[in-house]
Amino acid sequence: MHTSLKRLMKALLTGMLICVIAACAKPYYLTVNYHLPEDPGQLTGQTVSLVVEDQRENQTVFSESAQKEFDLWDGTYALALGGTSPPEPVETFDLPGLFHEAMKNRLEVMQINVVDAPAEGVPALIVSLEKVAVDLKGKTWLSEITYRTQLSRDSRKIARETVSGQAERAKILGVGGGTKLTGELFTDVINKLDVHRLFKNAGLL
């Protein structure tokens, strides 16, 4: 009886462990931490329509080696502001949606009114994604982001700016290094856009 009981307990514990592992190994979204600039400046009274276009030739974000570290990723992202967790219920986005949400926050903190659809008489800010790549080479995470912007009220005066950035970080246990690197570079390239100059060059200031 004692041996049978031990076998039963072992079987139950094994079953519970398998259930726990299965529960933990479910697909997940990637949380990208975005930190708004400390002194964003203000363009109170300005309104723009914001459109994000995906113009990447390579639609793959992770290289083959990096993808192995993110094998359960479901292809979506959640935006976290200032290092906090995304608000519940968590809203997830595809890559253009992630950029749209971050850029919208960036503009709104400058007191710019943002509309999601083009409207007559409203300047259009178009963000075109050119490259978003995360690679893992040996023990080093590498990331690169490039996007183009153009702002205009009509076709007569168009302001353009290209923003790009690269970063690397040593690999740590798990995917923490990759996600932290992505958040840091994402923050850098969103905040690097000179919004004041863009509005001035478009004749809106």
Side-chain angles (χ1 to χ4, degrees):
M1 287 291 292
H2 183 67
T3 301
S4 297
L5 182 60
K6 287 178 65 176
R7 288 177 178 172
L8 178 60
M9 290 298 295
K10 185 177 180 180
L12 287 173
L13 289 172
T14 301
M16 290 174 62
L17 181 60
I18 292 173
C19 289
V20 169
I21 293 174
C24 294
K26 61 183 179 181
Y28 60 86
Y29 54 82
L30 286 184
T31 299
V32 177
N33 285 296
Y34 170 55
H35 294 263
L36 289 160
E38 294 182 3
D39 184 19
Q42 293 189 345
L43 288 175
T44 306
Q46 296 287 346
T47 298
V48 295
S49 65
L50 176 62
V51 177
V52 177
E53 300 176 342
D54 194 348
Q55 301 290 340
R56 294 173 297 150
E57 292 184 5
N58 185 356
Q59 296 286 312
T60 301
V61 173
F62 295 104
S63 67
E64 184 176 350
S65 57
Q67 183 63 52
K68 293 177 181 178
E69 304 291 325
F70 293 87
D71 57 336
L72 295 176
W73 175 51
D74 66 4
T76 63
Y77 307 83
L79 183 67
L81 296 176
T84 62
S85 299
E88 296 287 348
V90 176
E91 183 177 8
T92 58
F93 308 91
D94 60 10
L95 190 62
L98 177 72
F99 272 83
H100 185 282
E101 191 69 12
M103 189 64 73
K104 182 177 180 179
N105 276 275
R106 167 82 199 282
L107 298 174
E108 288 181 341
V109 80
M110 298 179 69
Q111 304 299 314
I112 300 172
N113 181 43
V114 179
V115 295
D116 294 334
E120 186 175 353
V122 176
L125 175 59
I126 300 174
V127 178
S128 300
L129 306 183
E130 289 194 334
K131 186 173 184 178
V132 180
V134 179
D135 192 9
L136 179 60
K137 290 187 176 180
K139 298 295 183 179
T140 303
W141 287 104
L142 304 169
S143 186
E144 182 178 356
I145 298 176
T146 302
Y147 66 90
R148 291 179 292 105
T149 62
Q150 69 175 48
L151 175 66
S152 65
R153 191 194 304 274
D154 50 47
S155 59
R156 288 176 294 182
K157 193 165 187 179
I158 301 175
R160 294 182 173 87
E161 185 171 345
T162 297
V163 179
S164 62
Q166 296 178 329
E168 65 178 63
R169 172 178 286 273
K171 181 186 177 185
I172 59 177
L173 185 64
V175 299
T179 54
K180 189 169 185 179
L181 171 70
T182 302
E184 290 173 351
L185 182 58
F186 187 78
T187 292
D188 180 58
V189 296
I190 295 293
N191 293 346
K192 188 184 290 186
L193 177 66
D194 193 330
V195 179
H196 279 90
R197 183 171 62 192
L198 206 60
F199 271 78
K200 184 177 180 180
N201 290 346
L204 301 173
L205 291 180

